[in-house]
Amino acid sequence: MDPTKSSTPPPAPPVMGAPVGFPPGAYPPPPAAGAYAQQLYAPPAAAAAQQAAAAQQLQMFWAEQYREIEATTDFKNHNLPLARIKKIMKADEDVRMIAAEAPVVFARACEMFILELTHRGWAHAEENKRRTLQKSDIAAAIARTEVFDFLVDIVPRDDAKDADAAAAAAAAAAAAGIPRPAAGGPATDPLAYYYVPQQ
């Protein structure tokens, strides 16, 4: 038998659209469905560390609030005026009588609400390297926190400032080679679904 001739027939020509077999290990396996998106939109390490620190501060804040509530024995002194709270409660015409404890509970709840919103706003101010809490920080805290969605219409964001800041951030990110989601997407998770109320 002639060594230059083979007994096997020549391979068939490739067919358009037919799958092609590649040797194992020739290409890396495809990433998991969410892995690429997480890699593409991953915040820089400094921002991620800052967000983790803010989350830890909020966790410590709520733990301290819980301890303070458990240890409270003095219900006579309040940071917010009970008469004003009672007046707001009586603004609802269906409310006829208010127990003495109700304004006390509302005063404490309002205080905790203001403190948490301040903590979240302060975290936004620190992200922007400022030491002054501004209306835009509170608006950003409201926009980032799903629980505060009921305040979105009450505390509107300053669109002109936000557009300038977003453009500056996008330019800086593009210069650094960091991909960013399109404008208008949620700040915390660009791939998460968010609810837009009907108008």
Side-chain angles (χ1 to χ4, degrees):
M1 209 190 244
D2 188 11
T4 58
K5 292 192 176 183
S6 168
S7 63
T8 59
V15 178
M16 290 283 276
V20 178
F22 292 106
Y27 293 99
Y36 179 71
Q38 288 175 346
Q39 194 176 31
L40 183 63
Y41 295 111
Q50 199 169 27
Q51 287 176 350
Q56 185 180 14
Q57 284 178 342
L58 274 174
Q59 208 170 22
M60 289 180 353
F61 163 75
W62 281 112
E64 179 61 30
Q65 292 298 311
Y66 184 76
R67 280 192 293 275
E68 195 175 307
I69 289 170
E70 291 286 317
T72 301
T73 57
D74 178 24
F75 295 101
K76 301 289 183 201
N77 299 319
H78 310 285
N79 291 334
L80 299 174
L82 295 183
R84 179 72 178 132
I85 292 171
K86 194 170 182 179
K87 185 176 181 181
I88 293 170
M89 292 170 73
K90 286 216 173 203
D92 184 359
E93 55 224 23
D94 293 337
V95 176
R96 304 219 188 290
M97 300 289 287
I98 299 172
E101 302 88 23
V104 173
V105 172
F106 268 107
R108 184 67 179 129
C110 289
E111 185 180 340
M112 291 169 65
F113 172 76
I114 292 167
L115 284 170
E116 180 174 2
L117 197 50
T118 302
H119 273 277
R120 290 180 182 272
W122 183 252
H124 185 265
E126 284 183 332
E127 283 176 19
N128 292 319
K129 297 177 178 39
R130 283 187 279 104
R131 302 289 295 167
T132 304
L133 189 64
Q134 298 175 351
K135 176 187 169 192
S136 61
D137 299 322
I138 302 300
I142 289 169
R144 289 179 176 183
T145 310
E146 191 175 332
V147 176
F148 296 144
D149 281 349
F150 70 99
L151 294 172
V152 170
D153 296 331
I154 298 169
V155 183
R157 296 188 69 146
D158 187 9
D159 293 332
K161 273 188 189 175
D162 290 341
D164 293 343
I178 301 170
R180 292 287 178 211
T188 54
D189 185 4
L191 299 178
Y193 175 80
Y194 61 96
Y195 175 73
V196 178
Q198 292 181 350
Q199 305 221 355

